[in-house]
């Protein structure tokens, strides 16, 4: 598939985007692993509207995981270099002001941070430190460390529960999820999940957490009240699930199948796959995000250097917008009228 351009969007894509214009405005932010930048996309116009440079050394410094503050004013990016065994000043979490699109603060992280999450009150940063098999908590205002906690090997996915009480962290090599109490600041337990877990998301009501397993081809469902695995959803051994996101009502789980150029759509009530979206999908969809109204799903296509649009109604690819090289993660940020 060739590199997408703003004009590659289909008529259906344009119409869908136009219909969304009256809805709550938002932007897409896409981390470009090989360009050391973040692309800003206007989903209504279907074009990239700006690029935020993260480093002057593309190919050496890479942003990967993204998170957005609850008030929508700040983007947090997990930044590292390509030398995980060597700690450098680049191993940091950077905070970007969305009004000026500039980096306003750097938080030391160390340990090759891969993904980042923000607590629901916006006061805590949690980052998975892949090289150290740790997760670190950081106070947003003071920049002080809340603590470092041992996880499984090659920690990657990280999410904070909707009530802010617990942090779940996946670990690729040990096939585990570590549960950290974010108030008591201690590890609660470690859970065995599927083979090579990548990402974790909480249901909107916080009662369930979903964990993707890239090699296992499964989604592990965790009862968060007991921190116990209660279900395993099989997507198929060749499904290669990576990043996850849920519809706003939690009824559907959308799974990026990075190695299979597909998005898997799971009914969370039944645990069944209701659709595998493959036709016109970009190459290596790694990141995935759902629009605030649930009508659209966006994929960060790492080998197509693009963001794909999947309509939630038709469950089909409706368009594609160019991003930077090595699109890794995509997040949706609601734009306030004053910005």
């Amino acid at each position: 598939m060739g590199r997408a351009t703003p004009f590659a969007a289909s008529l259906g894509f344009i119409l869908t985007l136009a219909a969304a214009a009256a809805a709550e405005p938002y932007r897409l932010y896409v981390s470009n692993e090989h360009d050391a930048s973040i692309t800003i996309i206007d989903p209504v116009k279907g074009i990239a509207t700006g690029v935020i440079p993260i480093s002057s050394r593309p190919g050496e410094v890479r942003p990967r995981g993204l998170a957005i503050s609850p008030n929508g004013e700040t983007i947090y990016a997990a930044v590292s270099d390509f030398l995980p065994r060597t700690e450098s000043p680049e191993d940091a979490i950077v905070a970007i002001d969305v009004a000026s699109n500039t980096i306003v603060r750097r938080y030391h992280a160390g340990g090759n941070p891969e993904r980042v999450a923000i607590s629901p009150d916006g006061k805590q940063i949690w980052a998975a430190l892949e090289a150290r098999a740790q997760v670190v908590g950081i106070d947003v205002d003071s920049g002080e460390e809340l603590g470092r906690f041992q996880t499984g090997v090659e920690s990657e996915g990280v999410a904070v529960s909707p009530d802010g009480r617990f942090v779940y962290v996946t670990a690729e090599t040990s096939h585990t999820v570590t549960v950290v109490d974010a108030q008591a600041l201690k590890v609660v337990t470690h859970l065995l999940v599927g083979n090579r877990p990548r990402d974790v998301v909480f249901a909107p009501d916080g009662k369930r957490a979903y964990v993707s397993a890239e090699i296992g081809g499964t989604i592990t469902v965790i009862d968060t009240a007991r921190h116990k695995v209660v279900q395993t959803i099989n997507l198929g051994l060749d499904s290669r699930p990576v990043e996850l996101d849920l519809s706003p009502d939690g009824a559907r789980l959308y799974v990026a199948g990075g190695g299979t150029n597909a998005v898997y759509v799971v009914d969370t009530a039944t645990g069944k796959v209701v659709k595998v979206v493959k036709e016109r999908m970009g190459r290596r969809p790694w990141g995935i995000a759902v629009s605030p109204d649930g009508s659209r799903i966006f994929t960060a296509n790492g080998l197509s250097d693009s963001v794909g649009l999947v309509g939630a109604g038709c469950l089909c690819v409706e368009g594609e917008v160019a991003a930077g090289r090595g699109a890794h993660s995509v997040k949706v940020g609601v734009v306030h009228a004053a910005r």
Side-chain angles (χ1 to χ4, degrees):
M1 180 178 292
R3 185 178 176 86
T5 72
F7 304 102
S10 67
L11 177 60
F13 181 40
I14 296 295
L15 292 176
T16 301
L17 295 177
E24 192 172 28
Y26 60 92
R27 297 174 184 142
L28 306 180
Y29 298 92
V30 188
S31 59
N32 303 310
E33 187 173 6
H34 300 298
D35 269 351
S37 66
I38 293 173
T39 299
I40 308 166
I41 293 175
D42 181 332
V44 174
K45 297 178 179 176
I47 59 172
T49 58
V51 176
I52 304 170
I54 298 298
S55 170
S56 60
R57 296 189 292 128
E60 298 180 26
V61 176
R62 55 177 175 171
R64 291 185 287 177
L66 298 176
I68 296 177
S69 63
N71 63 11
E73 295 178 355
T74 307
I75 307 166
Y76 296 92
V79 180
S80 63
D81 55 26
F82 287 86
L83 303 170
R85 294 185 179 182
T86 303
E87 186 166 319
S88 73
E90 307 290 358
D91 294 329
I93 305 300
V94 301
I96 299 162
D97 174 57
V98 302
S100 61
N101 290 332
T102 57
I103 294 175
V104 293
R105 190 164 184 177
R106 291 181 182 271
Y107 297 90
H108 171 73
N112 206 252
E114 180 159 359
R115 293 188 186 272
V116 60
I118 304 300
S119 61
D121 62 6
K123 295 181 179 179
Q124 296 178 346
I125 299 168
W126 290 89
L129 307 180
E130 183 178 23
R132 287 190 169 184
Q134 291 179 334
V135 61
V136 61
I138 302 170
D139 183 274
V140 169
D141 291 335
S142 69
E144 295 180 355
E145 273 194 23
L146 301 169
R148 288 177 182 255
F149 307 93
Q150 207 66 39
T151 65
V153 181
E154 284 193 273
S155 50
E156 177 169 340
V158 56
V160 183
S161 60
D163 64 1
R165 179 68 188 278
F166 297 106
V167 180
Y168 278 27
V169 188
T170 69
E172 294 178 51
T173 305
S174 55
H175 321 305
T176 54
V177 166
T178 297
V179 181
V180 176
D181 187 322
Q183 295 179 2
L185 296 176
K186 66 178 184 180
V187 173
V188 176
T189 189
H190 304 275
L191 307 174
L192 190 63
V193 293
N195 196 338
R196 190 174 286 276
R198 289 286 192 176
D199 195 18
V200 55
V201 294
F202 284 91
D205 63 8
K207 294 181 179 179
R208 293 284 187 272
Y210 301 90
V211 180
S212 61
E214 185 182 18
I215 303 301
T218 60
I219 303 296
T220 299
V221 185
I222 299 172
D223 179 336
T224 58
R226 298 180 295 151
H227 308 303
K228 299 291 186 185
V229 174
V230 294
Q231 185 181 13
T232 300
I233 300 170
N234 190 357
L235 304 181
L237 282 176
D238 60 351
S239 53
R240 313 287 287 190
V242 282
E243 199 164 287
L244 308 167
D245 203 3
L246 284 153
S247 58
D249 61 4
R252 280 183 177 175
L253 177 69
Y254 297 101
V255 185
T260 55
N261 304 331
V263 167
Y264 298 81
V265 185
V266 177
D267 182 321
T268 57
T270 63
K272 303 294 185 183
V273 177
V274 297
K275 180 82 173 185
V276 180
V277 183
K278 282 194 170 184
E279 187 174 354
R280 300 179 60 208
M281 182 62 65
R283 295 173 60 202
R284 195 177 180 262
W286 198 261
I288 194 164
V290 180
S291 64
D293 64 1
S295 66
R296 289 163 288 172
I297 302 97
F298 304 99
T299 59
N301 306 323
L303 294 182
S304 298
D305 301 336
S306 67
V307 169
L309 165 73
V310 177
C314 65
L315 291 180
C316 61
V317 176
E318 295 183 327
E320 193 173 12
V321 181
R325 291 189 302 127
H328 182 282
S329 290
V330 56
K331 293 296 178 187
V332 172
V334 174
V335 180
H336 298 297
R339 292 179 179 271

